[in-house]
Every structure is written in structure tokens, then in C-alpha cells.
Amino acid sequence: MLRIAVPNKGSLSGPAADMLHEAGYQQRRESKELRIVDPVNEVEFFYLRPRDIAIYVSSGRLDIGITGRDLLIDSAASAEEILPLGFARSTFRFASKPGAASSVEDLKGKTVATSYEGIVAGHLADNGIDASVVHLDGAVETAIELGVAEVIADVVETGTSLRNAGLEVFGEPIMKSEAVVIRRKGAEVDEPKVQQFLRRLQGVLVARTYVMMDYDCRVEQLEKAVALTPGLESPTVSPLHNEGWVAVRAMVPAKEAQRIMDDLYDIGARAILTTAIHACRL
């Protein structure tokens, strides 16, 4: 069986389980379950702390893992990203009291508090900055107030908690993170079971990104209509019973669907419909 590590809690857990369910895999019914077997798909899932997943995968004990890119890099484990999943996006930034620093160059000789020591130390080294890094678990916003550090480095989403602590971000982002599928470095990625797993997840990503659009249009307007809905390879065009009319079907980006419907209507297309895509293979 393919052995897969899945986050057991936190912001990665729910979306990862939802994606796996959409991909046709059985998921646990109770949060206390640490391991389940999906015999139909020949997969065994292990629910682990997100920070530990890269370590388990790099050891070769587990074949595949879902974790955050930030956690993968911070772990320094011998594992690599093989598929971004598009959820749990975040930006990793430096923050300090207003006016204390404006760029990474201003961190020379300072102390930086963070829960991601590996990422921060690596970023400072890449920029040739000699600074101290203090590792703290959990929220680090109070580190400056308590005199533990002059600067913090943390995941920033809205920035509300930083502002509430009287801090502001500065400089360029350290990194951008999201949920990713990881594999041990040097492992055989072309293994059929691994490829099937990746195809299923890619199918979910496409299904979430696109909708199917159907509409009728006059033959003389077909080229303009197809230019608006080129599809992935080419749209499907079928003649209608009424002479001079055709039915067109194509996949279009979901976020652009309403605009495309307006444009199609303006050139004379009618009976314009969109439907959700639940699964696909490209």
C-alpha cells in the first residue's frame, strides 16, 4: 500500500482532508484516529503533527506527505516538494517596532525571535547577515515587548495581530508558503501508485479552478465565441436542429466565468450555462 502522511490538526488538516475526500480517498471519521486504511485505493493514511511530516517522509518510512512548504524548509529534512496544492497560503515576514528596521540589512547584530529557526537562519545566511536567532514555540509577538529580541519573523496573513502588538512588517517577504505534497529526495517519483495519487489531486485542483460552459450561437459568430472559450485543447462544437446554430462546450476559468458569459451574450450567444466540475483527468 501507498503510505501517506496527513496533517492531524491546524490550518492544514481540514483542507487536506477535504481534498483527499474529493480525490476519492477514504478519510478518518474521528480526530482521534491516527491511522486508517483505504483498501479500495490501496492507501494507508497516517495522521501526524504537520511539523513532523517531512521528517517521517525523509526517513523513507512513509512514501508521500502533505505539509506546508514553510515546515518542509524549516525541517531541513531530506524531502522535496513535488506538487503545490493551493491552500493554506501564507507569507513569512520580518516585523519590529516602527522605525527599528527597514530591510534585512538592518538586522546585523540584532536578535530575531521566530518559531521557524531553520528558515530564518537560512535567509540571513543567504543575505550575508550576522544576526542571532532565538527559537520560540507558538506566538512570538510578545518577544520584543519582553526584551527577548528586537525583531520577530513569523507567518503574516492579515497583519492584525502584529498591529495589535504595536509592530509592523518591513523588507521583502522571506518566503511564500502553501500546502504541498512532498516525497523523499531520491525516491522514485514515477512509481505508478504515486503518479495515480498526484493525478487525482491535480484533477481536484483543475475541478476547483474551472467550470464547464455550454451555450448556443450562430455559425457566423462561432469564431468570436471560440476565441472567448478556447477550452484546454479545443471546445466541442455540435450542430443544432435549427440550421445555422451550433452548441458549444468548453472548460473556462471559474473566476472569469461571469465576464465570459457577458461577452458571449453580447455577440449573440444564448442558453449560456455553467456547471461545476467534480473530478477530471487532463
Side-chain angles (χ1 to χ4, degrees):
M1 285 191 172
L2 192 66
R3 294 159 64 88
I4 301 174
V6 183
N8 67 342
K9 59 182 179 180
S11 61
L12 291 166
S13 178
D18 290 342
M19 177 170 278
L20 291 168
H21 177 72
E22 290 179 47
Y25 293 104
Q26 178 183 332
Q27 288 297 286
R28 62 181 181 174
R29 296 179 180 178
E30 297 182 4
S31 60
K32 293 181 179 180
E33 292 182 275
L34 301 180
R35 170 185 170 274
I36 67 166
V37 175
D38 181 351
V40 174
N41 293 298
E42 297 184 324
V43 172
E44 191 174 9
F45 291 103
F46 293 83
Y47 296 87
L48 306 169
R49 289 180 68 247
R51 276 191 172 274
D52 296 336
I53 287 176
I55 303 298
Y56 280 106
V57 171
S58 69
S59 73
R61 302 286 182 176
L62 301 179
D63 303 299
I64 293 289
I66 295 177
T67 188
R69 181 181 294 129
D70 52 351
L71 298 176
L72 167 64
I73 294 174
D74 193 60
S75 72
S78 183
E80 59 187 352
E81 173 184 335
I82 57 175
L83 179 68
L85 297 177
F87 63 85
R89 287 191 172 103
S90 62
T91 304
F92 203 69
R93 306 287 302 262
F94 288 116
S96 65
K97 291 288 186 181
S102 61
S103 69
V104 68
E105 284 75 18
D106 296 329
L107 300 184
K108 292 179 180 179
K110 296 186 183 300
T111 301
V112 183
T114 182
S115 299
Y116 298 81
E117 185 178 0
I119 292 176
V120 174
H123 183 74
L124 293 172
D126 291 343
N127 285 275
I129 304 300
D130 183 13
S132 301
V133 180
V134 174
H135 177 84
L136 296 175
D137 285 324
V140 297
E141 291 90 346
T142 58
I144 296 176
E145 181 181 353
L146 296 177
V148 174
E150 296 103 325
V151 177
I152 67 167
D154 202 7
V155 172
V156 177
E157 294 181 0
T158 64
T160 301
S161 60
L162 291 177
R163 287 191 293 272
N164 290 340
L167 306 178
E168 64 178 14
V169 299
F170 65 86
E172 294 297 318
I174 300 169
M175 69 169 295
K176 292 184 180 294
S177 182
E178 64 181 293
V180 296
V181 178
I182 65 171
R183 181 87 160 134
R184 179 174 58 84
K185 287 182 179 179
E188 183 55 62
V189 181
D190 292 334
E191 182 182 337
K193 288 183 180 179
V194 174
Q195 287 302 306
Q196 181 188 66
F197 178 77
L198 295 177
R199 281 196 301 272
R200 287 197 181 192
L201 295 189
Q202 288 167 335
V204 172
L205 292 172
V206 172
R208 290 178 172 182
T209 306
Y210 288 85
V211 295
M212 188 65 72
M213 186 169 289
D214 293 89
Y215 58 91
D216 301 338
C217 75
R218 296 285 304 177
V219 171
E220 54 266 28
Q221 297 298 327
L222 181 58
E223 289 305 315
K224 290 182 179 178
V226 168
L228 293 170
T229 60
L232 295 186
E233 279 87 21
S234 178
T236 300
V237 180
S238 306
L240 292 177
H241 179 70
N242 289 342
E243 188 174 352
W245 284 82
V246 293
V248 183
R249 163 170 278 203
M251 290 172 63
V252 302
K255 64 182 180 181
E256 299 178 19
Q258 293 295 332
R259 177 190 59 78
I260 293 172
M261 293 175 78
D262 291 337
D263 292 343
L264 287 172
Y265 192 89
D266 288 343
I267 65 172
R270 294 296 182 266
I272 309 169
L273 307 173
T274 61
T275 52
I277 301 170
H278 296 291
C280 69
R281 296 289 185 276
L282 299 182

